Amino acid sequence: MHDLVIRNGTVVDGSGRPRFAGDIAIDHGVIAAVGAVAGRGRREIDAGGLLVTPGWVDVHTHYDGQVTWDPVLAPSSWHGVTTLVMGNCGVGFAPVRRGQEDFLIELMEGVEDIPGTALHEGIDWRWESFPEYMDALAAMPRVLDVAAQVPHCAIRAYVLGDRAHDLDLSDDEIREMARLTGEAMRAGAVGFSTSRTILHRSRHGLVPGTHSKPHELLALGRALGDAGHGVFEMVSDLQGQEPDLSWMREFCRATGRVLTFALAQSPMQPNAWRETLARIEELDAAGLRIVPQVPCRPTGMLYGLQSSLHPFITHPTYRDELAALPLDERVARLRDQEVRARLLAEEPSTPNAIAQALMSNWTHIYPLGDPPDYEPAPETSVAATAAREGRRPEEVVFDWMLERDGRQLLFAPLANYVDGNFDALREMMLHPRTVIGLSDGGAHCGLICDASMPTYLLTHWVRDRTRGERIPLEQAVRLQTANTAAVYGISDRGTLEVGKKGDVNVIDLDALRLHAPEMVFDLPAGGRRLIQKVEGYRATVVSGEVTFEHGEATGARPGGLVRGRAE
Ligand SMILES: [Zn+2]
């Protein structure tokens, strides 16, 4: 008798090999048989007509705070994610000295737009060191597995205190930061992360370490080499180009570890990604593993009346008279012709030039709609619609935002949409040296909701795409399972093979459907976050236990902490 048998499914096993009809048996949390399973299961799932895939492994999330109070970790868990990696982009909550909690929260709030009040109320700070944080995570049951990276900002704050932003450090200070990084790796951190982008700011300015010098990064990186495991994760404006490339190369050569960084097609340098990928192929030929991380849709800001950004949010009338009103009242006032005329006659009043440019980038703002369209045709943009209808872009946007009782969202891709389609993105996704990531699950609560990316990989890329080539099912599944797990050295999962972990999705591909994102106020202290619901996951299984069935949580909490260790 097996613990669980998933029967008669179309198995897409994550290795990339062709789908086949078969059963999966799981015993003691581990896959015991694949193919035709004769023995019965104490529990059986009929997967006739359904896909059976490994659980998704999402390597780029920011649940570092939420994970300490929320065992469900939605929306990622709703979307078939069974393993997620946190601690990306240099921000997180361990190590932490007493009295520094607020500073780390402010960094997370500034960089990742997670409500500080929710973090204050939600986190209980039962740890000081990174190993203690790991033990706290390990002690809490949850629906899926989590893995953590040690964040550069926290290491800097711990060692440097008030001087966390300083660039000139003593050898002793660097040595101490490297020691703490090594301690975290030995406690099972799966990586170290840092931010080198001017987009990541808090009320203290750029985050600590943004302009850290190569010798500091290399010293911390060597702690990964000494530990014999771990990924160096980075977000950088340089996109893998010089001067970053020199120390990245040096890091790989000195440590033998993997380095991953966010790669995008940027509107400023639309072809730089090709050069970067060419350089990385050369380095790969020399045995150096640099793995650009790419999303499966543009990182999209969602403008709406409940979002943290929209085109009228800094207009004086909106800011002074409307912003504080409950949504329904605000919508009623905005429908008033006098208010409308007044707002449309005003200008944005933000001193932030970047925000101002983003909010009026009319050729790259689209209605998201329901079902959401993340690859909208250029002729549907605000600019194109305004030109066609002989109206001002502001009028078009104003009316769109009032649709769906003021809950309509507008899609404003930040990058990866320079040509108005996904052709460049597809090339990046399918490049043999890249990995799928950047869902940012748990973060950007007021503006971005991309935790659904693993679902989108199937709905859009495998099934629905009409504006260009799709991606074969077997390849898409491998991108989100075996490939992501392999980059992080989490080798006990990612494929449906005997001996691998019993993490499985049973999916009705025809019925798989993403809902439009919506704002809810369910974080601690009533904090808001965008969520996105989904239909079509028939069952999600973690370690052989069914965690979700027909989209409902079963209450099972088989998820644990993944500890990285030397391979
Ligand atoms: Zn991130």
Side-chain angles (χ1 to χ4, degrees), residues 60 62 88-89 112 440:
H60 196 117
H62 294 279
N88 282 285
C89 304
E112 304 294 347
D440 270 344

Side-chain angles (χ1 to χ4, degrees), residues 52-288:
V52 178
T53 73
W56 311 138
V57 178
D58 184 342
V59 297
H60 196 117
T61 75
H62 294 279
Y63 288 106
D64 308 74
Q66 192 177 334
V67 72
T68 67
W69 71 76
D70 174 10
V72 178
L73 297 173
S76 288
S77 61
W78 297 342
H79 290 270
V81 174
T82 54
T83 305
L84 55 82
V85 177
M86 317 175 294
N88 282 285
C89 304
V91 284
F93 300 114
V96 57
R97 275 191 206 285
R98 289 293 151 259
Q100 280 183 338
E101 296 89 345
D102 289 359
F103 180 65
L104 296 187
I105 285 176
E106 283 156 11
L107 295 179
M108 185 64 89
E109 183 170 32
V111 172
E112 304 294 347
D113 190 18
I114 300 175
T117 46
L119 295 169
H120 273 289
E121 182 158 314
I123 301 177
D124 67 4
W125 305 103
R126 274 171 296 149
W127 58 88
E128 174 172 338
S129 70
F130 195 87
E132 287 165 359
Y133 176 66
M134 294 290 271
D135 290 343
L137 296 183
M140 182 177 166
R142 56 181 68 80
V143 300
L144 46 67
D145 283 354
V146 298
Q149 301 172 96
V150 60
H152 194 187
C153 290
I155 294 269
R156 271 184 148 257
Y158 192 87
V159 173
L160 305 171
D162 294 344
R163 297 174 41 243
H165 290 84
D166 275 14
L167 289 180
D168 293 309
L169 309 184
S170 72
D171 290 348
D172 280 351
E173 286 166 335
I174 291 180
R175 213 173 293 125
E176 178 60 5
M177 297 200 314
R179 187 188 68 78
L180 289 167
T181 303
E183 178 183 86
M185 301 314 298
R186 284 190 300 281
V190 295
F192 166 89
S193 73
T194 192
S195 169
R196 296 176 79 69
T197 171
I198 58 161
L199 294 174
H200 282 177
R201 290 168 184 274
S202 74
R203 62 189 204 81
H204 306 281
L206 294 176
V207 300
T210 302
H211 295 302
S212 279
K213 294 175 182 168
H215 73 276
E216 176 188 338
L217 298 171
L218 288 172
L220 303 186
R222 256 179 234 114
L224 276 60
D226 293 344
H229 71 96
V231 173
F232 190 111
E233 188 270 345
M234 164 173 84
V235 54
S236 166
D237 293 327
L238 295 174
Q239 303 270 318
Q241 308 220 328
E242 294 293 4
D244 270 354
L245 189 62
S246 295
W247 70 258
M248 287 162 64
R249 191 189 295 125
E250 174 81 33
F251 163 84
C252 292
R253 204 169 275 146
T255 67
R257 303 313 316 157
V258 175
L259 188 148
T260 183
F261 67 93
L263 179 69
Q265 183 192 31
S266 123
M268 271 82 75
Q269 293 174 285
N271 291 313
W273 62 274
R274 272 183 208 280
E275 294 160 35
T276 298
L277 287 175
R279 286 297 88 68
I280 279 159
E281 280 178 55
E282 290 163 21
L283 296 178
D284 189 74
L288 306 182

Side-chain angles (χ1 to χ4, degrees), residues 298-304 307-310 354-355 357-361 364-366 368 374 409-415 444 446-450 530:
T299 301
M301 296 180 295
L302 301 175
Y303 297 157
S307 307
S308 34
L309 211 59
H310 65 71
I354 298 177
L358 290 175
M359 288 189 295
S360 57
N361 191 9
H364 273 76
I365 299 178
Y366 308 86
L368 183 65
Y374 294 96
L409 292 166
L410 309 179
F411 178 58
L414 258 180
H444 305 295
L447 202 56
I448 296 172
C449 187
D450 285 333
L530 282 162

